[in-house]
Amino acid sequence: DAKTTQPTSMDCAEGRAANLPCNHSTISGNEYVYWYRQIHSQGPQYIIHGLKNNETNEMASLIITEDRKSSTLILPHATLRDTAVYYCIVRVEHGGSQGNLIFGKGTKLSVKP
Amino acid sequence: NAGVMQNPRHLVRRRGQEARLRCSPMKGHSHVYWYRQLPEEGLKFMVYLQKENIIDESGMPKERFSAEFPKEGPSILRIQQVVRGDSAAYFCASSHSRGNYGYTFGSGTRLTVV
């Protein structure tokens, strides 16, 4: 079972920042937070991941709270092409079945013009 | 620099037939993962393989399903005696190493059982 809780759906206006929350209150010290997204009918796409510190790449920013019990994925300027299901996953970096990516239900983000 | 290649993209099988789904990982990737996505549901982990070895098959149904990743050639997910409930999208992902965050997913094979 997924170890994360995400809202079922969210809307965002085109050009505005999309902030997607994720709760992972039972996260362990050696578990990373990963974000993937799945655009309709396509394979999942890696976005970003982090352990403790905030992370930024060309796609998004990841803000992790100090206690690591929650995080927020930020798409700074959402476009219509960002409409997708966004998955927040906690995962051990190495080792056995604990290292498998386990997908929950995710958040369906709808970017509207 | 091709990504993860899955074929066929669409596969139609009659009940009782066999389905063979192929996955060629990214160049240099030796870890392969198979996932299944039933209609309107999330992705479910099925199996994790390295070259010639099944590492974790905890998500595989106990009967009719098997997977391999031979020394040469693509990884194969085989479903024998398909039933309507096997209709789903099957995604393959690959990574360079176990700890590498770079799981790259293919575009999937959509299996329809009629």
Side-chain angles (χ1 to χ4, degrees):
Chain A
D1 291 332
K3 297 182 179 181
T4 62
T5 304
Q6 299 177 252
T8 302
S9 63
M10 290 182 64
D11 289 343
C12 178
E14 188 179 18
R16 303 297 292 268
N19 298 287
L20 291 92
C22 179
N23 287 324
H24 31 80
S25 57
T26 61
I27 193 170
S28 301
N30 61 346
E31 287 182 314
Y32 287 69
V33 180
Y34 286 76
W35 284 84
Y36 280 75
R37 73 180 182 183
Q38 186 176 25
I39 297 171
H40 180 63
S41 298
Q42 297 181 21
Q45 177 188 23
Y46 166 81
I47 301 173
I48 200 167
H49 81 293
L51 182 63
K52 295 180 184 177
N53 300 320
N54 298 337
E55 302 288 343
T56 295
N57 62 20
E58 65 278 4
M59 289 183 69
S61 295
L62 174 61
I63 308 298
I64 303 175
T65 57
E66 193 169 339
D67 64 8
R68 303 212 318 126
K69 292 185 176 183
S70 65
S71 60
T72 301
L73 178 75
I74 301 172
L75 307 178
H77 304 287
T79 71
L80 298 179
R81 288 180 294 180
D82 291 321
T83 292
V85 178
Y86 287 76
Y87 297 97
C88 170
I89 303 167
V90 296
R91 172 184 176 248
V92 174
E93 189 75 350
H94 294 279
S97 62
Q98 291 179 307
N100 294 328
L101 281 176
I102 305 299
F103 289 82
K105 296 187 183 300
T107 296
K108 184 177 174 66
L109 175 69
S110 299
V111 180
K112 299 184 183 299
Chain B
N1 188 15
V4 176
M5 303 301 292
Q6 289 189 249
N7 67 81
R9 289 295 303 276
H10 300 275
L11 181 62
V12 179
R13 284 287 177 266
R14 295 186 184 280
R15 281 177 293 172
Q17 291 185 318
E18 178 180 281
R20 290 168 62 94
L21 288 63
R22 297 175 189 78
C23 170
S24 295
M26 282 188 70
K27 187 175 181 181
H29 286 189
S30 59
H31 300 248
V32 166
Y33 315 83
W34 285 93
Y35 286 77
R36 176 167 68 172
Q37 188 169 32
L38 295 170
E40 305 303 322
E41 294 191 14
L43 292 108
K44 301 296 184 187
F45 167 78
M46 299 181 76
V47 62
Y48 158 42
L49 310 101
Q50 284 183 268
K51 284 285 188 181
E52 300 184 273
N53 289 304
I54 296 174
I55 306 301
D56 180 358
E57 55 182 350
S58 57
M60 286 279 271
K62 294 290 185 282
E63 297 178 348
R64 302 187 297 108
F65 284 71
S66 63
E68 62 178 11
F69 188 17
K71 186 176 181 181
E72 301 291 337
S75 175
I76 306 288
L77 179 68
R78 182 184 294 112
I79 310 171
Q80 296 178 303
Q81 299 176 314
V82 296
V83 300
R84 288 226 171 105
D86 296 332
S87 295
Y90 292 82
F91 292 98
C92 166
S94 72
S95 67
H96 178 265
S97 67
R98 181 57 166 160
N100 193 314
Y101 61 81
Y103 274 44
T104 303
F105 281 82
S107 298
T109 293
R110 273 105 187 129
L111 172 65
T112 302
V113 180
V114 297

